[in-house]
Each structure stands twice: as C-alpha cells, then as structure tokens.
Amino acid sequence: MFSNLRERIPQYIRDHKKDFLAFSIALAFFIVFSIFSILQYYSLGTSALDLGINAQSLYTFIHEGMFYSPLLGENTLAQHFTIFKFTQVPIYYIFPSPLSLMIYEDFFIVMGGYIVYLLSMELLKDHIKSMKLLYLVSIGFLLAYEFSPFTESLISFSFHNMAFLPFFFLLAFYAFLTERRVLQIISLAFIISLHANFIYIVAILLLYEFLFLHTSRGKKIGTWLSAKSKPTGIKNFSYFIIFIAILYVYLIFADFMKADISGVSAFSALPTTGEVGTPVSSPFALLLLLFHNPGEFSSIIGTNAGVKIFYLNLLFKSNIYLPLFSPLSLILLLPYIMYAVPSSYAAYYQLGYQYSAMVSGAIYISAIIGTYNVISFGKYIYRHNKSIRLRAKKVSAKIHNNNIWIPVISILIIVVLVISIPFGLLSPPGMQHTDHSTMNDIFEQNSGGAASFLINVSSNLPPNSYILTQNSLMPYFSNDINAYSTPWSPGYYNILPEFRYVVIQNNSFWATQGENHSLQIIVNNGLMNGNYTIINRYSPANIMILENTHNMPA
C-alpha cells in the first residue's frame, strides 16, 4: 500500500497543481487575516461579547468541567447548545489565549473560499472546456469570497461560533455535488453543532438539494441520501422526510438539554411557534400578522428599510448580480430573510457583525449556479438562433486566436473587487465606506503596549480573583473564572464588595455604559469613599488597576 508512496505523492501534486495554487491563495488570506486578528487583539479591539465569553467558558470547562461564564450567569450551552465548543477545547488547552480562538476561526473562514473554488471547478466544467479559463473563473470566485465584505465581517467581529457556518455549509453542498454522502452528513452535523436552531438552515439546504436533483445539472448526480436508489426516487424522498423529522427531534432534544442545564422545567423547553402577532418569535406569527394586521406587518418589515435594502443590494452587487440568474438557489437565503428582515435589530443587516455568516455560503452557491445558468442560456440561444450563430462563427476565430475571454473574465473579477474592497477590512486608508457598517480596518489597528500590560497584570493577579472590568478589556482576563464585565454580567452591581480588583480604561466608551451602574461611576464612587486604591496604571491608554482594600468580605 505504501510501497510506491514516494512516486504517488509527487504525481498527485503534479495532477493537482492548480488546486494547490488555489489552496495557497486561501492560505495567504489566512496569514493576512491572522495578522489582522493579532493587531486587533493587541489594539484593544476585541470584546467580552463574544470572544471573552467563549474564552472564559473554555477555560472554565478545562478547569471545572462546565462551560460557565459570569457574563451569562450560567453554562453557555444553556444559551445556544453549541456543542461545537468541544472541538475548541484542545486548542484552548494547548494555547490558552483568546487569540488562539480568533486564529482558529480565521482558518475556517478563509477555507470557505477554497471550497467556493472547488464548487466552481466542479459545476462549471460542464460548460467551460478550456481548463485555463475554468481555472481563472474559479480563482475569481475564490478572490470574490475572500474580499467580500460579508466574509470579512466575520473576521472583523473578533469571534463568534456562527462564523464557522459558511465553511460547513459550502462543504455540505460540495459533498452533495460530488456524491460523498458521509462527508455531507458530517458537514450537516457540524452545522447543527454550531447552534441548535441551525436545523432550519440544514432543512432548507436539504430541500434545495432535493429540488436541485430535478434540474438539468442535478440529474447528473447519481447518489444522494441513499446509495442504492435513484436520487429522485421515492426511497430518497422518504429519507429526506426522515432527515427533516430527525432534525426536529434534535431541536426538541437540544431544548430539553438547555432546560436541564439551566435547571428549569423541561416542559418549558418544548419548541413553540411563538405568540400570535409577535414576529420576532416566529415566522408563522409574522405570516398570521400579514393577514390579521397588514399595517403593522408593513411597519415591522419597513423598520430600517434603507439599511436592509443597502445590505441586500450590496450582497448581490458584490457578485455582479449573478445569484439572480439562479432563482431556485435563492431559497438558501430564506433562513436569514425570515430571521433578520422582520427584526428592528440593526446588527442583523450591518457589515461588521457575525450575522453575515447566514448569507455568505448561500450567496456564492447561488452566484456559481447563476453563472452556470447564464452559460447554459447563452448556449441555448446559440443553438436556436441562426443569425446569432452566424455572427458567432464570424468572430469565433478571433475570440479563439486572441483568447479574448481571459481579459473579459479578468475585467469582471476586477469589477467585483472594486465593488467589494472599499467595504472590507482590507480597504486602503481613507477609502473604506463606513455607512451601515461597523467594519474595522486593518490599517487602523494601532498595536500599543496596553494589551501586553493587561496580559501581564492578568497573569500576576491571584488565581480566580474576583475581577470587575469593562466589555473591551474583559478578554484579557478571560482566564479567570470570576472575571465579570460591565455592562453585560447579570447582577454585578449587587455584589460589588466581592470584587477584589477593578480594571478600567478611564472615561472610555465602554467604561461609561450601564447608566447608574457603569464602571466609571463605580470607580469614581469607590475612589471618593476610599474603598479603592490604584495599584497600577498604564497612562498611555488611561488604564487603571484598582484594588478593593476596604470592604472585602471576611
């Protein structure tokens, strides 16, 4: 088996030289995005939500056996039942720093681009016979994905488990196309492991695959859920129904587990469709509201309408509207549409947040299949329109000899990048569009000594000290089971005497959040009444470390 390995490996590399080059491009983006993450971390650009919570819960699991974080006041599995966190435990055990989570996430995000490349190569080879042209188009899709502001939003938002979704979503569809059932099931399982409610995303993806099997391209797929029957046959349809039922059973199981972890009645965990007329609770309630009160329905949908239109238009424009040529594929966006559009929460449709993970995979599947359909339509017109066929024959020699399609495709790739780059974190200085965006910019990350100072302070404080800090500084103290953050940790203002140390960036934005319970007010009052003593400071960033030496419990 291994006797001719020395000859087989070089041969494999020669046969897949172009794939290795595409993989290398993705790795180059991984390096760039990792540099951004390092700069962001050392520029105080991260936050308790969600980097601090995840890092602290992993540290607590390693040392206490549960994913607890004081920022939630409970086990984090009781929130979203993200069992994917178990894959992060070995990473955090070996490299116990929030930065390791950021870089781990970056790798999965950029590798989504490599899967986009593989999808393009697999789908478009039916129509693009020139390997050089097919490779250029596929590299174009890879670059479009990596430079997309919707991809880079996941990098800009320091950490969230939702950011792993595009990779597994794309991988599941690629496994479906290439008839790798085991890989597809594993990918779908990973999607569900990110969030229990992602069963809806998996259900829509399976529905799309079922419908795709009835298209001209889908009819070439010989295996779906069952290897021993026709993909469009009754047996596979039965498997599809069974899979949907299993997904719903998993949702019930996850809700029961969350209830058990939280210590509440299991019956309160049964899935519901939400109250009638409460759109944010249920798509069904939203549909009922449409018939019951059309005016209120319009008001809800119209909330922040300008931002929603901008976001969705940029989503399509950054792919030169190719997804519109694959209307069937647009059903992949339904989970996001039902989740975000009825909401008034602006972060759902702003660049710079993790919610773009719900559209990143779907939009590139749609764009590639849209390209497939455009080429198919062009070929159909060519075959059935004599005048067009005659004109095409007159210029075919010129097109072939001068290889005109390569510069045309290159120009289209440049157009996509020109549209995308100004909205992303790699935008040149002064060019970044900040409308409807909280996107960071790699050129604006100024790494000073503040983060190193905080890391040093954290490592020198007594283990498991009660620490109160603010949202933007909490990740540097996440390796402490008793680190709390304003303004998020529930009830922190009721246990102020228990905090031995307080860490504040004086008069900063996050220090002043929390109204009468803001960290700034707590510190000012503590200094005024003599409860707090400044034991260390970093003046360039206006950071103070205070110790409670007055009213500590005995």
Side-chain angles (χ1 to χ4, degrees):
M1 179 177 175
F2 299 102
S3 57
N4 61 341
L5 203 59
R6 185 174 295 179
E7 292 80 20
R8 288 164 59 192
I9 291 178
Q11 182 62 42
Y12 181 86
I13 293 174
R14 282 193 296 271
D15 293 343
H16 296 81
K17 187 164 35 176
K18 289 188 165 94
D19 293 343
F20 278 109
L21 181 57
F23 186 80
S24 299
I25 293 173
L27 277 182
F29 277 96
F30 169 63
I31 293 170
V32 172
F33 289 151
S34 296
I35 291 171
F36 170 83
S37 294
I38 294 169
L39 290 173
Q40 186 182 37
Y41 184 71
Y42 280 96
S43 302
L44 305 186
T46 62
S47 63
L49 296 180
D50 284 72
L51 178 63
I53 288 177
N54 279 277
Q56 187 178 46
S57 65
L58 288 168
Y59 179 85
T60 306
F61 179 83
I62 291 168
H63 292 87
E64 301 290 331
M66 61 177 178
F67 292 106
Y68 178 82
S69 173
L71 273 77
L72 296 178
E74 61 181 350
N75 192 316
T76 57
L77 291 184
Q79 288 281 316
H80 301 313
F81 200 61
T82 304
I83 59 177
F84 184 76
K85 292 170 73 71
F86 285 100
T87 70
Q88 299 161 7
V89 170
I91 302 294
Y92 207 80
Y93 182 82
I94 299 170
F95 305 105
S97 167
L99 188 57
S100 64
L101 294 181
M102 298 171 71
I103 294 175
Y104 179 65
E105 176 194 66
D106 292 345
F107 180 78
F108 278 88
I109 293 171
V110 299
M111 284 300 117
Y114 181 67
I115 306 300
V116 166
Y117 159 83
L118 293 177
L119 279 170
S120 176
M121 293 289 286
E122 179 67 26
L123 278 167
L124 301 183
K125 66 183 181 182
D126 294 345
H127 289 315
I128 304 177
K129 300 308 179 182
S130 165
M131 283 303 298
K132 185 183 293 186
L133 191 58
L134 174 62
Y135 183 69
L136 178 62
V137 171
S138 301
I139 289 294
F141 275 114
L142 187 158
L143 293 175
Y145 172 90
E146 304 293 5
F147 278 109
S148 168
F150 299 91
T151 300
E152 293 180 3
S153 287
L154 306 178
I155 304 289
S156 179
F157 192 85
S158 54
F159 183 85
H160 198 285
N161 283 299
M162 190 182 287
F164 295 89
L165 173 60
F167 174 82
F168 292 115
F169 189 89
L170 291 162
L171 185 61
F173 188 70
Y174 176 72
F176 160 72
L177 279 179
T178 54
E179 304 178 34
R180 302 175 186 181
R181 290 185 307 127
V182 174
L183 179 61
Q184 182 186 14
I185 292 171
I186 291 173
S187 301
L188 296 176
F190 270 116
I191 292 174
I192 299 169
S193 75
L194 296 172
H195 194 303
N197 284 344
F198 282 1
I199 67 153
Y200 298 112
I201 293 176
V202 170
I204 289 294
L205 180 57
L206 287 173
L207 173 62
Y208 174 67
E209 290 177 357
F210 174 74
L211 297 174
F212 185 82
L213 288 169
H214 295 80
T215 65
S216 58
R217 175 58 180 86
K219 290 176 181 177
K220 298 180 179 181
I221 296 174
T223 303
W224 190 32
L225 301 176
S226 171
K228 298 181 180 180
S229 61
K230 186 180 177 182
T232 54
I234 188 66
K235 188 173 182 180
N236 262 297
F237 180 74
S238 301
Y239 272 89
F240 167 67
I241 298 299
I242 292 171
F243 264 67
I244 298 300
I246 291 173
L247 291 175
Y248 187 73
V249 169
Y250 177 80
L251 182 62
I252 296 175
F253 166 76
D255 284 339
F256 270 100
M257 289 299 297
K258 289 192 289 184
D260 182 64
I261 293 168
S262 300
V264 301
S265 170
F267 291 101
S268 67
L270 287 173
T272 63
T273 58
E275 299 176 7
V276 175
T278 310
V280 291
S281 300
S282 163
F284 300 105
L286 182 64
L287 188 61
L288 288 172
L289 186 65
L290 171 62
F291 297 101
H292 177 71
N293 192 337
E296 186 179 349
F297 175 87
S298 300
S299 176
I300 290 167
I301 297 296
T303 303
N304 294 326
V307 183
K308 294 174 182 176
I309 292 171
F310 168 83
Y311 190 85
L312 292 173
N313 180 55
L314 182 62
L315 182 66
F316 288 97
K317 184 170 71 172
S318 59
N319 288 280
I320 51 177
Y321 298 101
L322 285 170
L324 297 179
F325 292 94
S326 178
L328 179 63
S329 304
L330 297 182
I331 69 169
L332 295 172
L333 294 173
L334 274 179
Y336 171 79
I337 297 297
M338 299 304 296
Y339 179 78
V341 172
S343 175
S344 60
Y345 184 47
Y348 289 161
Y349 28 83
Q350 279 190 334
L351 297 174
Y353 288 97
Q354 73 274 21
Y355 303 105
S356 64
M358 297 180 72
V359 299
S360 291
I363 202 66
Y364 281 97
I365 291 174
S366 301
I368 294 170
I369 296 178
T371 304
Y372 182 96
N373 291 343
V374 167
I375 299 173
S376 297
F377 182 71
K379 288 187 173 182
Y380 176 85
I381 294 296
Y382 176 83
R383 287 195 301 269
H384 293 84
N385 191 306
K386 186 176 181 180
S387 62
I388 290 179
R389 190 163 61 250
L390 291 174
R391 291 178 188 175
K393 286 180 178 179
K394 289 181 181 178
V395 298
S396 61
K398 182 178 180 181
I399 291 176
H400 176 74
N401 294 335
N402 297 328
N403 219 357
I404 197 172
W405 285 114
I406 289 180
V408 167
I409 298 301
S410 300
I411 290 170
L412 289 175
I413 293 172
I414 292 171
V415 168
V416 169
L417 299 186
V418 167
I419 293 171
S420 297
I421 289 175
F423 294 95
L425 57 83
L426 300 177
S427 172
M431 287 184 58
Q432 189 180 53
H433 291 202
T434 56
D435 293 342
H436 314 309
S437 173
T438 61
M439 185 82 75
N440 289 302
D441 191 319
I442 192 170
F443 300 102
E444 294 178 354
Q445 304 300 309
N446 299 312
S447 178
S452 298
F453 168 78
L454 291 170
I455 294 169
N456 183 59
V457 167
S458 175
S459 62
N460 288 312
L461 293 179
N464 300 329
S465 300
Y466 272 81
I467 301 169
L468 182 63
T469 186
Q470 62 192 64
N471 179 52
S472 56
L473 305 184
M474 186 271 163
Y476 307 98
F477 297 90
S478 55
N479 286 351
D480 190 302
I481 296 171
N482 298 312
Y484 288 66
S485 169
T486 64
W488 308 122
S489 295
Y492 65 88
Y493 41 82
N494 294 324
I495 58 170
L496 289 178
E498 296 187 26
F499 292 110
R500 180 66 180 268
Y501 300 99
V502 177
V503 184
I504 185 173
Q505 188 172 24
N506 215 28
N507 296 317
S508 62
F509 172 80
W510 284 111
T512 59
Q513 298 302 296
E515 299 179 345
N516 293 332
H517 302 301
S518 71
L519 189 60
Q520 193 68 61
I521 291 177
I522 293 170
V523 167
N524 290 345
N525 291 340
L527 289 172
M528 191 184 313
N529 59 32
N531 287 342
Y532 295 157
T533 301
I534 299 173
I535 60 172
N536 206 343
R537 68 169 71 229
Y538 185 74
S539 298
N542 214 13
I543 293 174
M544 298 191 305
I545 315 296
L546 302 98
E547 184 176 7
N548 182 353
T549 56
H550 181 70
N551 57 359
M552 288 296 297

